[in-house]
Amino acid sequence: RPAQAVCIPAIHLHMTAATMQLSQKDFQKAQEELKLLKKDPGNETKLKLYALFKQATEGPCNAPKPGMLDFVKKAKWDAWNSLGNLSQVTKLTISLRYFVDYLDGPESASQKKEASPEEGRHDGYETLIVATKNNITKIMFNRPDRKNAINHQMYREIIKALEEAGKNDSTIAVITGNGDYYSSGNDLNNFTNVQPGEMEKMAKDGAVLLKEFVGHFIDFPKPLVAVVNGPAIGICVTVLGLCDLVYASDRATFHSPFSLLGQSPEGCSSYLFPKIMGLAKASEMLLFNKKLTAAEACAQGLVTEVFPDRTFQKEVWARLEAYASLPKNSLAVSKQLLRNMEKEKLHAINSRECEVLTERWLSDECANAIVSFFQKKSKL
């Protein structure tokens, strides 16, 4: 297909080695333009482009090999190193081909897809859109360019949003995602660029944050509804058992690939998933990484109801607005009757899951699994 114009810094093929280096400013400009693509080309293509650019401007890989735990730098190094000694013309030809074949072209910042401003919007959030309207507080994950992956800042903002929603005048709270994904779970950048001497602190701090995050779902005093608009992965799947209703589009999927990454269940899923769907089905998800369709998740009790994607937003929000007109205090006390008997147990399970995860994060097995995951993503 014809490619839209992509601004590539001019490279003259007949240069001496001394004059072949492109400026850091050019490289940064190219990086910024890559962020403005209409469609994210994916990590594999980005790594190919990175490697080809480095090879074209600096020659064969000459950087020291990063440490095993420096996942992002190691993936970049592996991609660059794998190119060997391609000729200059070959490298630039391949690089241009990747631009033509994979990239849809940049769009101006003013054209980037963003959620429209909402009535009742709460200020003070960068990774979320939080708004209260018609007795509903909506908490929307708002990192669509990262598939709503949850970084440390987003964890803290979700905690803050749940605290505010629990105390304000709304009747119910709703969690959903902006864009095509509900959430892709933990942003793996949470685990990258950690020096070996900092691993223990990273693991302990991460467990404290996770425990507080899950604790806010356990203690939330009002009806809490998940509106799953697309694929859901990891932590955003496991806490669904702590929500009171889960409505899903028929294009949503549910995936908790813990063992694939050398990790273990969280979000009280080690207790609630077997209780909801039975031990055998829960084991398929939590041990063996089975991805459920929305229909399967509904049949197994994790999802309340599935809607056609084309009418999903209209049908779900009409229903939620009707629910939000019910007597607020009656809903709150009724939820407490349903949930309070197990609260103490759930907090204990949350603590134990976080302890086990801390051990997992510090294990060689987990480190090797994450490195393997990045290598597969970056393999040329």
Side-chain angles (χ1 to χ4, degrees), residues 242-379:
L242 296 167
C243 296
D244 301 298
L245 293 173
V246 179
Y247 290 142
S249 158
D250 59 9
R251 57 176 291 275
T253 55
F254 301 83
H255 195 202
S256 51
F258 299 122
S259 60
L260 189 67
L261 296 171
Q263 300 186 39
S264 55
E266 86 289 84
C268 296
S269 61
S270 62
Y271 169 70
L272 288 175
F273 277 27
K275 185 177 179 182
I276 290 168
M277 62 183 74
L279 183 59
K281 293 295 185 183
S283 295
E284 274 193 310
M285 275 198 84
L286 299 177
L287 301 185
F288 302 111
N289 311 302
K290 178 168 182 176
K291 182 191 293 186
L292 300 183
T293 64
E296 289 171 331
C298 189
Q300 293 176 23
L302 185 63
V303 167
T304 310
E305 191 170 345
V306 179
F307 297 80
D309 189 61
R310 68 183 183 280
T311 59
F312 177 60
Q313 298 292 341
K314 183 179 178 181
E315 288 191 64
V316 166
W317 287 102
R319 189 176 299 187
L320 292 176
E321 287 177 14
Y323 292 161
S325 68
L326 295 170
K328 180 176 74 171
N329 293 334
S330 173
L331 286 176
V333 297
S334 297
K335 169 170 176 168
Q336 300 311 313
L337 286 173
L338 289 170
R339 293 279 184 173
N340 272 2
M341 289 181 64
E342 288 204 310
K343 243 187 199 182
E344 188 176 335
K345 184 171 187 176
L346 291 172
H347 279 298
I349 290 164
N350 182 28
S351 294
R352 180 57 185 151
E353 286 178 342
C354 289
E355 288 173 10
V356 173
L357 263 175
T358 303
E359 296 167 4
R360 290 277 80 222
W361 289 334
L362 293 173
S363 69
D364 290 341
E365 186 177 66
C366 179
N368 291 335
I370 294 176
V371 168
S372 175
F373 174 83
F374 273 105
Q375 286 175 334
K376 286 176 184 175
K377 288 283 185 184
S378 64
K379 190 174 181 182

Side-chain angles (χ1 to χ4, degrees), residues 58-121:
E58 297 182 30
C61 183
N62 55 18
K65 187 174 183 179
M68 179 189 290
L69 297 174
D70 201 344
F71 306 120
V72 171
K73 287 182 180 177
K74 188 173 185 305
K76 289 180 175 180
W77 188 92
D78 286 340
W80 184 10
N81 187 56
S82 69
L83 291 181
N85 290 295
L86 293 177
S87 75
Q88 189 68 17
V89 174
T90 301
K91 286 176 287 197
L92 292 173
T93 302
I94 295 173
S95 186
L96 287 169
R97 186 186 303 161
Y98 278 122
F99 273 109
V100 171
D101 289 347
Y102 287 94
L103 309 183
D104 290 329
E107 56 185 340
S108 67
S110 63
Q111 293 174 310
K112 285 182 73 177
K113 180 182 178 183
E114 292 182 358
S116 57
E118 297 191 35
E119 181 185 334
R121 184 160 170 171

Side-chain angles (χ1 to χ4, degrees), residues 123-143:
D123 294 328
Y125 295 94
E126 295 180 17
T127 66
L128 306 175
I129 295 174
V130 182
T132 299
K133 181 182 178 184
N134 298 329
N135 298 321
I136 300 171
T137 295
K138 178 162 73 169
I139 300 168
M140 177 182 280
F141 305 142
N142 190 36
R143 299 183 74 210

